[in-house]
Amino acid sequence: ENKTTVYIAVDTDAKGLELRAELIRRFGEDRCRIVTYGEGCKDANEHLVKFGKESLSIALANAREVPLKGVFTAADVREELSALLRSGMPKGETFGWDNLDKYLSVKPGFVMTVTGIPGSGKSEFVDEMVLRLSMRHGWRAAYFSPENFPITYHLQKLVSKITGRRFNEEYMPRDMYERAVDYLTENISSIFPEDDFTVGTVLNKAKALVRRRGIRILVIDPYNRIEHQIPKGESETQYISRFLDEIGNFAKRTNTLVILVAHPTKLKKDPMTGAFPAPSLYDINGSAAFFNKTDFGISVERDMKRDVTRIHVLKVKFRHLGQPGKVSFRFSEPNGRYAEFNEPESAEAREPEVKWDNEEWGVDS
């Protein structure tokens, strides 16, 4: 942390560029310089063999600064553009649910808004999405979730999801429990600022976790637990738009996926079914900006009568990352996991068998 200049000297192939981007993300753009090796040389060794050590020293001395933040030309992203030309638009990362993966994949640098009426299972579903992204793709996460404090209440739910067992000594062997706790210690952080719960304070803590722990996911659950300080003369609609800009800018600058959980306004029950409809992003209290300014939008619907959780993918900003659609799950009370469910078209039709997953997830993956 006390270094003023960091030289990034990595390969210029696809993996090297990924590493370069991550190192710059961790160290900060303001102090990084990029070493390049010239035409036909993808790494320092090739340059050394072709041109000698003096030439390699010159390459180090001429290392260019990271482009000025907020100002770009095509030359600044020439290598990335070439990689895109060769490989096409990059696919996002999936969750491991076959049904949902058809409609949604995600990437860091974006904002996902999740809504649903109270009791629909928004937080439970977000927890499982986070753990799946963490275990499948190595993404560390941080939560700002005051409703999940004390932290032990939240962690016990995550332990059950990882182990596939009820959180009880009778069902969960001690060694299995310890493996899950070790995994959570390494990969999941909780933010609970001492001073205030303003968005600025939460994002500053998250920024520190990007540098120190390399988090890729920030969960804000829920929106209404942020201490919103609306300046005099600013409407709630204007404030919400500015708030969403702030978390969106954080997501882009730190290359982090921000998941925002937000409650809808009070909805009216369907007089025919007696159930609440699945809320849209436009139903979130305060502003249509919740739809307009989010990159991914999800609504969680819990049908108590049919014991089904439906996930409505309402918005995917970029087509190569997915499309709107609806999928169904069954929720397992003992371990808090969601199992894919091919919901029949009518209540009278025979229900298909659900394939429950009660195995311990690979905490070493």
Side-chain angles (χ1 to χ4, degrees):
E1 292 186 357
N2 64 345
K3 301 297 182 289
T4 58
T5 305
V6 179
Y7 290 86
I8 309 295
V10 297
D11 292 0
T12 56
D13 56 13
K15 288 295 182 182
L17 293 176
E18 281 184 27
L19 175 60
R20 177 201 293 179
E22 177 66 8
L23 291 172
I24 292 172
R25 189 177 82 96
R26 297 285 191 100
F27 292 130
E29 295 176 341
D30 55 320
R31 54 178 173 165
C32 288
R33 290 179 176 269
I34 307 300
V35 180
T36 54
Y37 309 108
E39 190 69 30
C41 297
K42 73 175 181 65
D43 58 28
N45 187 60
E46 286 188 4
H47 187 103
L48 179 67
V49 171
K50 285 186 177 182
F51 305 112
K53 63 180 183 180
E54 290 186 5
S55 179
L56 185 58
S57 297
I58 293 172
L60 182 64
N62 292 337
R64 62 181 173 85
E65 294 180 334
V66 175
L68 182 64
K69 185 179 291 184
V71 179
F72 303 96
T73 69
D76 296 326
V77 293
R78 183 180 297 274
E79 292 169 344
E80 292 85 346
L81 196 59
S82 295
L84 205 61
L85 177 66
R86 292 192 302 269
S87 306
M89 294 295 284
K91 302 297 183 183
E93 304 295 1
T94 55
F95 301 93
W97 286 304
D98 290 341
N99 59 355
L100 184 60
D101 291 346
K102 295 176 183 176
Y103 297 103
L104 180 65
S105 66
V106 294
K107 293 180 71 67
F110 296 103
V111 174
M112 174 189 290
T113 300
V114 180
T115 192
I117 67 170
S120 61
K122 297 184 297 296
S123 296
E124 285 281 3
F125 195 77
V126 166
D127 282 347
E128 187 156 346
M129 285 197 299
V130 168
L131 286 178
R132 284 172 173 266
L133 289 172
S134 176
M135 290 194 160
R136 288 169 61 84
H137 310 297
W139 291 6
R140 290 177 173 175
Y143 281 83
F144 169 74
S145 185
E147 292 186 354
N148 274 313
F149 271 74
I151 187 175
T152 49
Y153 291 2
H154 187 209
L155 291 176
Q156 61 90 16
K157 293 194 295 183
L158 299 182
V159 168
S160 283
K161 287 183 186 292
I162 292 173
T163 60
R165 304 291 184 91
R166 190 186 297 275
F167 193 80
N168 186 296
E169 284 187 333
E170 182 180 350
Y171 302 97
M172 188 181 299
R174 188 71 186 187
D175 59 337
M176 181 183 288
Y177 162 81
E178 294 291 350
R179 285 194 296 271
V181 172
D182 288 345
Y183 184 85
L184 292 173
T185 300
E186 183 68 21
N187 293 282
I188 305 295
S189 301
S190 295
I191 297 172
F192 196 79
E194 295 180 357
D195 300 328
D196 59 62
F197 286 178
T198 62
V199 64
T201 297
V202 171
L203 294 184
N204 282 336
K205 294 291 185 184
K207 187 176 181 180
L209 288 171
V210 169
R211 287 197 172 189
R212 295 197 175 196
R213 306 205 69 191
I215 66 165
R216 284 285 184 186
I217 307 170
L218 170 64
V219 178
I220 299 175
D221 180 12
Y223 165 79
N224 64 356
R225 289 303 303 271
I226 292 282
E227 291 178 7
H228 300 293
Q229 299 177 342
I230 303 178
K232 188 176 181 180
E234 184 176 58
S235 68
E236 183 183 15
T237 298
Q238 291 171 325
Y239 168 79
I240 292 172
S241 179
R242 184 166 57 82
F243 168 86
L244 292 169
D245 285 340
E246 194 165 355
I247 65 171
N249 291 337
F250 170 84
K252 290 176 177 63
R253 287 169 180 162
T254 62
N255 202 24
T256 302
L257 175 67
V258 177
I259 301 177
L260 175 67
V261 179
H263 299 309
T265 56
K266 189 173 183 180
L267 301 173
K268 294 182 179 179
K269 289 184 177 181
D270 185 321
M272 299 293 293
T273 65
F276 289 103
S280 74
L281 297 180
Y282 287 115
D283 291 317
I284 299 174
N285 190 29
S287 175
F290 283 108
F291 180 88
N292 298 332
K293 293 197 172 184
T294 196
D295 301 295
F296 306 103
I298 288 177
S299 177
V300 180
E301 175 195 6
R302 183 75 185 270
D303 186 333
M304 298 295 185
K305 289 184 177 180
R306 301 185 68 174
D307 189 24
V308 175
T309 296
R310 301 184 187 98
I311 304 301
H312 301 259
V313 180
L314 303 175
K315 182 180 180 182
V316 180
K317 186 174 182 179
F318 296 102
R319 287 182 295 174
H320 67 284
L321 298 178
Q323 61 184 324
K326 180 179 72 173
V327 295
S328 300
F329 292 90
R330 278 271 167 85
F331 179 69
S332 171
E333 293 287 348
N335 60 26
R337 290 181 181 175
Y338 287 86
E340 297 177 51
F341 178 59
N342 295 319
E343 187 176 358
E345 293 184 2
S346 67
E348 294 76 24
R350 182 179 178 181
E351 291 190 351
E353 186 175 344
V354 178
K355 186 178 180 181
W356 298 104
D357 176 17
N358 299 313
E359 298 298 319
E360 180 184 13
W361 284 345
V363 295
D364 295 327
S365 62

Coordinates of all heavy atoms in Angstrom, one line a residue, residues 2-43:
N2 N 2.1 1.2 0.4 CA 3.0 2.4 0.5 C 3.7 2.6 -0.8 O 4.5 3.5 -0.9 CB 3.9 2.3 1.6 CG 4.9 1.1 1.5 OD1 4.7 0.2 0.6 ND2 6.0 1.1 2.3
K3 N 3.5 1.8 -1.9 CA 4.3 2.0 -3.1 C 3.6 3.1 -4.0 O 2.4 3.1 -4.1 CB 4.3 0.7 -3.9 CG 5.0 -0.5 -3.1 CD 6.5 -0.1 -2.8 CE 7.2 -1.3 -2.1 NZ 6.7 -1.4 -0.7
T4 N 4.4 4.0 -4.5 CA 3.9 5.1 -5.3 C 3.8 4.7 -6.8 O 2.9 5.2 -7.5 CB 4.7 6.3 -5.2 OG1 6.1 6.0 -5.6 CG2 4.7 6.8 -3.8
T5 N 4.6 3.7 -7.3 CA 4.5 3.3 -8.7 C 4.6 1.8 -8.7 O 5.5 1.2 -8.1 CB 5.7 3.9 -9.5 OG1 5.7 5.3 -9.4 CG2 5.6 3.5 -11.0
V6 N 3.7 1.2 -9.5 CA 3.7 -0.3 -9.7 C 3.8 -0.6 -11.2 O 3.0 -0.1 -11.9 CB 2.4 -0.9 -9.1 CG1 2.4 -2.4 -9.3 CG2 2.3 -0.6 -7.6
Y7 N 4.8 -1.3 -11.6 CA 5.0 -1.7 -13.0 C 4.3 -3.0 -13.2 O 4.6 -4.0 -12.5 CB 6.5 -1.8 -13.3 CG 7.2 -0.5 -13.3 CD1 7.7 0.1 -12.2 CD2 7.3 0.2 -14.5 CE1 8.4 1.3 -12.2 CE2 8.0 1.4 -14.6 CZ 8.5 2.0 -13.4 OH 9.1 3.2 -13.4
I8 N 3.4 -3.0 -14.2 CA 2.6 -4.3 -14.5 C 3.3 -4.8 -15.8 O 3.2 -4.2 -16.9 CB 1.1 -4.0 -14.8 CG1 0.5 -3.2 -13.7 CG2 0.4 -5.3 -15.0 CD1 0.5 -3.9 -12.4
A9 N 4.0 -6.0 -15.6 CA 4.7 -6.6 -16.7 C 4.3 -8.0 -16.9 O 4.9 -8.9 -16.4 CB 6.2 -6.5 -16.5
V10 N 3.2 -8.2 -17.6 CA 2.6 -9.5 -17.7 C 2.5 -9.9 -19.2 O 2.7 -9.0 -20.1 CB 1.2 -9.6 -17.1 CG1 1.3 -9.4 -15.6 CG2 0.2 -8.6 -17.7
D11 N 2.1 -11.1 -19.5 CA 1.9 -11.5 -20.9 C 0.8 -10.7 -21.6 O -0.1 -10.2 -20.9 CB 1.6 -13.0 -21.0 CG 2.7 -13.9 -20.6 OD1 3.8 -13.4 -20.2 OD2 2.5 -15.1 -20.6
T12 N 0.9 -10.6 -22.9 CA -0.2 -9.8 -23.6 C -1.2 -10.8 -24.3 O -1.9 -10.3 -25.2 CB 0.4 -8.9 -24.6 OG1 1.3 -9.6 -25.5 CG2 1.3 -7.8 -23.9
D13 N -1.2 -12.0 -23.9 CA -2.3 -12.9 -24.4 C -3.6 -12.6 -23.6 O -3.6 -11.8 -22.7 CB -1.9 -14.4 -24.3 CG -1.5 -14.8 -22.9 OD1 -1.8 -14.1 -21.9 OD2 -0.9 -15.9 -22.8
A14 N -4.7 -13.4 -23.9 CA -5.9 -13.1 -23.2 C -5.9 -13.2 -21.7 O -6.4 -12.4 -21.0 CB -7.0 -14.1 -23.8
K15 N -5.2 -14.3 -21.2 CA -5.1 -14.4 -19.7 C -4.3 -13.3 -19.1 O -4.5 -12.9 -18.0 CB -4.6 -15.8 -19.4 CG -5.5 -17.0 -19.7 CD -6.7 -16.8 -18.7 CE -7.7 -18.0 -18.9 NZ -8.9 -17.8 -18.1
G16 N -3.2 -13.0 -19.8 CA -2.3 -11.9 -19.3 C -3.1 -10.6 -19.2 O -2.9 -9.8 -18.2
L17 N -3.9 -10.3 -20.2 CA -4.7 -9.1 -20.1 C -5.7 -9.1 -19.0 O -6.0 -8.1 -18.3 CB -5.5 -8.9 -21.5 CG -4.6 -8.6 -22.7 CD1 -5.5 -8.5 -23.9 CD2 -3.8 -7.3 -22.5
E18 N -6.3 -10.3 -18.7 CA -7.2 -10.4 -17.5 C -6.4 -10.1 -16.3 O -6.9 -9.4 -15.4 CB -7.7 -11.8 -17.5 CG -8.9 -12.1 -18.4 CD -9.5 -13.5 -18.2 OE1 -9.3 -14.0 -17.1 OE2 -10.0 -14.1 -19.2
L19 N -5.2 -10.7 -16.2 CA -4.4 -10.5 -15.0 C -4.0 -9.0 -14.8 O -4.1 -8.4 -13.7 CB -3.1 -11.3 -15.0 CG -2.1 -11.1 -13.9 CD1 -2.7 -11.4 -12.6 CD2 -0.9 -12.0 -14.2
R20 N -3.7 -8.4 -16.0 CA -3.3 -6.9 -15.9 C -4.5 -6.1 -15.4 O -4.3 -5.3 -14.5 CB -3.0 -6.5 -17.3 CG -2.7 -5.0 -17.4 CD -2.8 -4.4 -18.8 NE -1.8 -4.9 -19.7 CZ -1.8 -4.6 -21.0 NH1 -2.7 -3.8 -21.5 NH2 -0.9 -5.1 -21.8
A21 N -5.7 -6.4 -15.9 CA -6.8 -5.6 -15.4 C -7.1 -5.8 -13.9 O -7.4 -4.9 -13.2 CB -8.1 -6.1 -16.2
E22 N -6.9 -7.0 -13.5 CA -7.1 -7.3 -12.0 C -6.1 -6.6 -11.2 O -6.4 -6.1 -10.1 CB -7.1 -8.8 -11.8 CG -7.3 -9.2 -10.3 CD -8.6 -8.8 -9.7 OE1 -9.5 -8.4 -10.5 OE2 -8.8 -9.0 -8.5
L23 N -4.8 -6.6 -11.6 CA -3.8 -6.0 -10.8 C -4.0 -4.5 -10.8 O -3.8 -3.8 -9.7 CB -2.4 -6.3 -11.4 CG -1.9 -7.7 -11.3 CD1 -0.7 -8.0 -12.1 CD2 -1.7 -8.1 -9.9
I24 N -4.4 -3.9 -11.9 CA -4.7 -2.5 -11.9 C -5.9 -2.2 -11.0 O -5.9 -1.2 -10.3 CB -5.0 -2.0 -13.4 CG1 -3.7 -2.1 -14.2 CG2 -5.5 -0.6 -13.4 CD1 -4.0 -1.8 -15.7
R25 N -6.9 -3.0 -11.0 CA -8.1 -2.9 -10.1 C -7.6 -2.9 -8.7 O -8.1 -2.1 -7.9 CB -9.1 -4.0 -10.4 CG -10.4 -3.8 -9.7 CD -11.3 -5.0 -10.1 NE -11.1 -6.2 -9.4 CZ -11.8 -6.5 -8.3 NH1 -12.7 -5.7 -7.8 NH2 -11.6 -7.6 -7.6
R26 N -6.7 -3.8 -8.3 CA -6.3 -3.9 -6.9 C -5.4 -2.7 -6.5 O -5.6 -2.1 -5.4 CB -5.5 -5.2 -6.7 CG -6.3 -6.5 -6.9 CD -7.3 -6.8 -5.8 NE -7.8 -8.1 -6.0 CZ -7.4 -9.2 -5.3 NH1 -6.4 -9.0 -4.4 NH2 -8.0 -10.3 -5.5
F27 N -4.4 -2.4 -7.4 CA -3.4 -1.4 -7.0 C -3.9 0.1 -7.2 O -3.4 1.0 -6.6 CB -2.1 -1.6 -7.8 CG -1.4 -2.8 -7.4 CD1 -1.0 -3.7 -8.4 CD2 -1.1 -3.1 -6.1 CE1 -0.3 -4.9 -8.1 CE2 -0.4 -4.3 -5.8 CZ 0.0 -5.2 -6.8
G28 N -4.8 0.2 -8.1 CA -5.3 1.6 -8.4 C -4.7 2.1 -9.7 O -3.5 2.0 -9.9
E29 N -5.5 2.7 -10.6 CA -5.0 3.2 -11.9 C -3.9 4.3 -11.7 O -3.1 4.4 -12.6 CB -6.2 3.8 -12.7 CG -7.2 2.7 -13.1 CD -8.4 3.3 -13.8 OE1 -8.6 4.5 -13.7 OE2 -9.1 2.6 -14.5
D30 N -4.1 5.1 -10.6 CA -3.2 6.3 -10.5 C -1.7 6.0 -10.4 O -0.9 6.8 -10.7 CB -3.7 7.2 -9.4 CG -3.7 6.4 -8.1 OD1 -4.2 5.2 -8.1 OD2 -3.4 7.0 -7.0
R31 N -1.4 4.8 -9.9 CA 0.0 4.5 -9.7 C 0.6 3.3 -10.5 O 1.7 2.9 -10.3 CB 0.3 4.2 -8.2 CG -0.6 3.1 -7.6 CD -0.3 2.8 -6.2 NE -1.2 1.9 -5.6 CZ -1.0 1.3 -4.4 NH1 0.1 1.5 -3.8 NH2 -1.9 0.5 -3.9
C32 N -0.2 2.9 -11.5 CA 0.3 1.7 -12.3 C 0.8 2.2 -13.6 O 0.4 3.2 -14.2 CB -0.9 0.8 -12.6 SG -1.4 -0.2 -11.1
R33 N 1.9 1.5 -14.1 CA 2.5 1.7 -15.4 C 2.5 0.4 -16.1 O 2.8 -0.7 -15.5 CB 3.9 2.3 -15.3 CG 3.9 3.8 -14.9 CD 5.3 4.3 -14.8 NE 5.3 5.7 -14.4 CZ 5.3 6.7 -15.3 NH1 5.3 6.5 -16.6 NH2 5.3 8.0 -14.8
I34 N 2.2 0.4 -17.4 CA 2.1 -0.8 -18.2 C 3.3 -1.0 -19.1 O 3.7 -0.2 -19.9 CB 0.8 -0.8 -19.1 CG1 -0.4 -0.4 -18.3 CG2 0.7 -2.1 -19.9 CD1 -0.7 -1.4 -17.2
V35 N 4.0 -2.2 -18.9 CA 5.2 -2.5 -19.7 C 4.7 -3.3 -20.9 O 4.0 -4.3 -20.8 CB 6.2 -3.4 -18.9 CG1 7.4 -3.7 -19.7 CG2 6.6 -2.7 -17.6
T36 N 5.1 -2.9 -22.1 CA 4.8 -3.6 -23.3 C 6.1 -4.0 -24.0 O 7.2 -3.4 -23.7 CB 4.0 -2.7 -24.3 OG1 4.7 -1.5 -24.5 CG2 2.6 -2.4 -23.7
Y37 N 6.1 -5.0 -24.9 CA 7.3 -5.6 -25.4 C 7.5 -5.5 -26.9 O 8.5 -6.0 -27.4 CB 7.3 -7.1 -25.0 CG 6.9 -7.4 -23.6 CD1 5.7 -7.9 -23.2 CD2 7.9 -7.0 -22.6 CE1 5.4 -8.1 -21.9 CE2 7.6 -7.3 -21.2 CZ 6.3 -7.8 -20.9 OH 6.0 -8.0 -19.6
G38 N 6.6 -4.8 -27.6 CA 6.8 -4.6 -29.0 C 6.2 -5.7 -29.9 O 5.8 -6.7 -29.4
E39 N 6.2 -5.4 -31.2 CA 5.5 -6.4 -32.1 C 6.2 -7.7 -32.1 O 7.4 -7.8 -32.1 CB 5.7 -5.8 -33.5 CG 4.9 -6.5 -34.6 CD 3.4 -6.3 -34.4 OE1 2.9 -5.3 -33.9 OE2 2.6 -7.3 -34.8
G40 N 5.4 -8.8 -32.0 CA 5.9 -10.1 -32.1 C 6.4 -10.7 -30.7 O 6.9 -11.8 -30.7
C41 N 6.3 -9.9 -29.7 CA 6.7 -10.4 -28.3 C 5.5 -10.3 -27.4 O 5.0 -9.2 -27.1 CB 7.9 -9.5 -27.8 SG 9.3 -9.5 -28.8
K42 N 5.2 -11.4 -26.8 CA 4.0 -11.4 -25.9 C 4.5 -11.4 -24.5 O 3.7 -11.1 -23.6 CB 3.2 -12.7 -26.1 CG 3.7 -14.0 -25.6 CD 2.7 -15.1 -25.7 CE 3.3 -16.4 -25.2 NZ 3.6 -16.4 -23.7
D43 N 5.8 -11.6 -24.2 CA 6.2 -11.5 -22.8 C 7.7 -11.0 -22.8 O 8.3 -10.8 -23.8 CB 6.1 -12.8 -22.1 CG 6.8 -14.0 -22.8 OD1 7.8 -13.7 -23.4 OD2 6.4 -15.1 -22.6

